[in-house]
Amino acid sequence: MSSKGVSFYQKRHNHYDQSYRNLQSRYVVQEYSAQKRSASTSTLKSSASSSISRTKCICGAYKEVQDYYIPVLKRRTEEQYTEQQMRQQTQRRSYHRAANYSIKLAYLEEDIRVARALAREQIDKVSIQRMVEEKVALQRRIHEESISRAPDILARLRSHTVWEGMAVKLFFTVHGYPTPVVQWFKNESLVIPASEPGKYRIESKYGVNSLEIYRTNVNDTATYTAVATNVHGQSSTNAAVIVRSYHEEEDPLHLQHLSLPLSEICFTHIDVQFLEKFGVSFGIEGETMTLSCDILLTPELSRLRPHPEWYRDDVLIKESKWHQLHFGEGRATLSLTHCNKDDEGLYTLRIVTRGGVNEHSAFLFVADDAALVAGAPGAPMDVECHDANKDYVIVTWKPPNTASGAPVIGYFVDKCEIGTENWIQCNDSPVKICKYPVTGLFEGRSYIFQVRAVNKAGVSRPSRVSIAVAALDPADLARLQTIHLDGGREIVICQDDLEGEVKIPGPPTNVQALETSKTYVVLSWDPPVPRGRDPIVYYVEKTMVGSGSWQRVNSQIPMKSPRYAVFDLAEGKSYNFRVISVNKHGVSEPSEVTPPIQAQERVAVPSAPGHIQASRNTRTSVVVQFDKSKVEEEELMGYYIDSSVVGSNHWETCNHKPINYNRFEVHGLTTGENYIFRVKAVNAVGVSENSQESEAITVKAALTTPSYPYGITLLNCDGHSMILGWKLPKFTGGSHITGYYIDKREANHLNWHEVNSSSVQERVYTVEELTEGAFYEFKVAASNLAGLGLPSDPSDHFKCEAWTMPEPGPAYDLTFCEVRNSSLVILWKEPIYSGKSPVSGYFVEYREVESEEWTRVNQSATANHYLKVTDLEEGKTYVFHILAVNGSGTGKASDASEPVLVEVRPGVKEITAGVDEEGTIYLDYSCSEMTEASQFTWCKAYEEIDNESKFKMESIDENSRLYFKNPDKDDLGTYSVSVSDTDGISSRFVMESDELERLMALSHEIRNPTIPLKTELTYEILERGKVRFWIEAPSLSAETNYRFVVNDMEVKDSESHKIKFDKSAGVIEMVMDTFTVENEGTYTVQIQDGKAKNQSSLILIDDAFKALLAEAEFQRKEYIRKQGPHFQEYLYWEISEECEVLLVCKVANLKKETVFKWYKDEVPVEPEDQPDLQNGVCIFRIPRLTKKDQAEYKATLKDDRGQDVSVLQLSGKIFEDIILGMSKVSGSSASELKIHCTPEGIRFHCFMKYYTEEMKVSWYQRESKISSSEKMKIGGTDEFAWLQISEPTEKDKGKYTFEIYDVKTSYKRTVDLSGQAFDEAFAEFQRLKAAAFAEKNRGKVLGGLPDVVTIMESKTLSLTCTVFGNPDPEVSWLKNDRDFEITDHFKSTLEQGKYVSLTIKDVSSEDSGKYGINVRNKYGGETVDVTVSVYKYGEEVPEVKPSHLPKPAPAPAPAPTKTSTPEKPKAAASRPAGRSTRK
């Protein structure tokens, strides 16, 4: 029985060669075939055949290497070969053959026995483990079944009747195992708390489940059902909740009016809500980015968990090294570990449940990383491999966008074998289209590919690597079969082994052109059938149509796969092709000649898109639409969109990866800027011309219809009409509200009726012609320039009956402003219905959203229509209502406001007060979230300002100012500003008397000159801790009056406070003998010189006073310290002329007994220089400063009078300053740049006194800063810094500058690498590189030959070694330094270009001598000698020493052009076995 085997190239991209076929299986098949053949022949023929057969050693699937033959010993005379001895030898050979076969058969049987025993042991282990698991599972199931039961409701739900606005709580108790999952339904609709935050609360504790409904209204009247479910079943209970209105006069509803469905409810719905969603994101290649969504699941059941799926451009994303997916704890995340432009696209998160799919999408933009070379293009993307075969694959990619750079002129394709890090460039010259056939792959190995783009500035960064592909023929899968043997063994064989003996193969068939371009044609064909066991290679021949002569294309490199790319074709010419198959037996007939094939592109460059149109979208994005290019969709890769600010003439890339659709949202634009756009199409051949530019568009939010009004309130009713009020829509849609439209309907009616045919401008309207006693509900819609918005939700049911109560009606239009972290301001309008007497005041009440208890803010009624509410808790949500008061009492409360979150909005600014250059006082406010419809409204006491004689308002863009024309005490009060259409952005400013005085004083100072001060009031600390306060005003006259005021008390001149005035210098000073804690406060000096006045104050409190007091105390202690041995100058550092770091301190007041010591990190150290206590100077020398020298250095002085310590922390900023100081010394001593050549490139040296990598240095080429890279390597030693140009080219010519920086200046050293200097350096580099290259690639013997060989006569000698050379070397053998002819006696072989052997049959004494192998290619070579000694049978094996004959030395390299001093020569590498010399 046979079956198809699994394709080996579908396994995880491991390396495979031809040894993948089971060697043991091949051996068994060969033995079986040999036995059958031997059984069919006669015994005599078998004996004769076996006498001349030789044993072979199998080393691979197709290789057979001949071993040493054991010839029969012969004597010198014919009499010694008797017939009896020949018969004995034949019998001996037959016996050895039979014994060898028996041993191999015994080994095979033992292997089978061991395999069966191991298999049986494994099966027993699996059986025992399975029995244990089944027993444990059975016990667990018995235990669970003993306690498991379906949900059982012990206490059922009870019905409730409540008043409107109250809360109701439903309870029931259920038991069951596993614990049942409970869901609540309202009239068979699932109750979802998240749908109405703050409305429902569901709890489940210890089997008691509850549903609490807050702020009930008539719409909450329903049948509520609770369903408990577990794996054993379902159980349900239900109850009715009736909500009655305060104004209802009808009989209360009874339970029998509500139908209670008793049938069980079956459900699988899971409600999914996205809480925090990822938005439009921007990244750069190489960064790590994470997209995440917070998800709320209702209910959250472990057995019904939803399945998250991530998509990019509607393609499912799977876990990989580039993408990491995670879902748990209410969050779904996608991490991009290393962003590439391949990752750009529209990302969609889909949450799949049984009830449907919820999804969220946003676009991710990935920009190019900084180019390695300025002006180089971005990296290509989406590298893919197609049509892989044994030594061939087609690589495709997408081109980068070059909006602002030079166009791409071609691409380089690189390959890398899996398991190595060696990238090899596949094409010598850039390929101009976005696909390339890569040949020369090794069969069975896996490869990855990357692509680099090229323009005139340089080469781009490489693209993301492709998915690994194996170089294998897919047709090999059909030729594999698996044979199942007894005992579970399998043998995988190839159809090649089962085919008959095929000598010369047949011709290939179906030769055709798979790909064509301007420069190459890719041919494909079918292998010959049958093709035999021997490997087949192919040769391709071409002829130009009409020429009549055939030319072999791949004469040097035969092809193993039925694919071949023919390059170097003349564009526009037609060619015929044919293919020949070859194996070791011979050459097939040519295949059929192809029809004429022309080297041309099948696909043309696409045409430019047309009709580009840009439209407004959001504040930072624009929608661009265009007509698609006129080309086949499957040939098009996509479109690139570019943007440019009008007038800049600079184009930027909008998308960095081609898009396949003609409508695109361009994000990341600047609000208010004018942009134009253009589009170009992309396919494999190239990029189209740019489309026509779109019309200029300003980036602003699109004009939309307004949101719906809300808060519809009944303000008055006379029995035939109702006065309604409502609130502004939260968003106006970018345009002013032009009016409102009202609809009405009676309760229990389905149809709505229009109230007003023309729009209403105000938000209060009287609805006429109503029926008294009837209930009505209303809805309102707003309109603007964009059209009519959505209508509001229906209002509550309002009963049409006349209001006659003596108390006032409700206030209305509750709004909020100045919402901060613990306060807000609420505003309202006076009730329309005032009752029997005028309204005298208002009460404000609030409660938390989840509470039912109202808290009154003001204990006495306020007459204002606004109130600031304080002492609120940050982060909590509140609702408010207003109660109007008149002489009859407190009226009806207003409708509750919308919930307000007490938290300051990020970015909200406050009103600032100031004085302009003309001395005018103003209030200023700015708002960055304005729209076209936004307006600033200034108010005083929350009444809009309209007094033009007192105020002036100016608004420019996002800024607005309120100017005070004639400020006085009447302008004190609360000022506020609000910005419409911004979701309540507002601020206020309390103009108090002090602030107004300050502003008026500032205004007066601006309008009236003051005494100029050269120095404001300041202080200095004198000896012994005295403090001097002084001020300098150089232009004071002799009549100047002055005084010092400390803490609002004038200070007079006294012994403790010495005050004086130096008129000539204009200095007024006060000296305090003793400065203590009691002197904290404000110090002011007031000056008056005629009418001009000025004053200066100095506030010395908190940290400032503590610092001054500490300094004064320090000076007093310093005076005491200097009475004994002390440091006259504490530790400081210097840099010597030899760039050494010196730690210096100066000491004073010493005696002979005074002891001085140095410490480093509290460890005593001995400096190189002994302290010079006589002169008072101590030095600690650090010859070569490094990071290891960072430490705390301390110097101590001590004698019987006391001690003193000086500490210097040599780290951080001090260490950096020392490095800068060393840079100054090294920079001034730096030598001029010197050119030094190496095999790797050209190197510049700059010698200096000391160099360390911590120094701040820069290298420049033609004023462009150089960063260290593979091309430009930067380094240095203690003595010099260097820059190496690897593989220099003409682009590397120019002026090179080395710059080292200190604190203020920099030191530059330059060299001009151009003209003769470059030519000489480049010639020397080429010479060194050629010498290194020749040494690396010359012909050489790697190993294998011994120095001496001794062998007995009549045996066969085989000398084998491994050679190397690039290109492959020529090999010749020498005997006694002379060439000899290869005959049957001497046989030489060369396999795979590197394995060389010389076989000498039937050696004799004449074969003794010195043999040498000469390996040589165009770069040189070497000869390796081996001494061969032949001895006769019975003689003692002689000892032979290798000869030491001299060999000619290799030819010297050409003399180099005179350049700088070359590098020291490297030590010669060790030679392989044997003695060798180079040629």
Side-chain angles (χ1 to χ4, degrees), residues 879-895:
V879 293
F880 296 80
H881 67 202
I882 309 297
L883 297 95
V885 181
N886 66 2
S888 301
T890 303
K892 179 182 178 182
S894 67
D895 289 345

Side-chain angles (χ1 to χ4, degrees), residues 1401-1418:
K1401 298 181 180 180
D1402 296 326
V1403 296
S1404 63
S1405 58
E1406 296 178 355
D1407 297 322
S1408 296
K1410 184 181 65 175
Y1411 289 80
I1413 180 172
N1414 185 4
V1415 183
R1416 184 176 64 252
N1417 61 9
K1418 65 180 182 180

Side-chain angles (χ1 to χ4, degrees), residues 273-279 290-296 310 326-334 349 351 359-361:
Q273 286 188 341
F274 294 106
L275 300 181
E276 293 187 11
K277 300 177 286 188
F278 62 92
T290 300
L291 307 179
S292 63
C293 261
D294 288 344
I295 302 169
L296 177 62
W310 288 89
H326 180 263
F327 179 64
E329 300 180 356
R331 171 170 288 194
T333 60
L334 168 62
L349 171 60
I351 305 299
E359 65 179 38
H360 167 69
S361 300

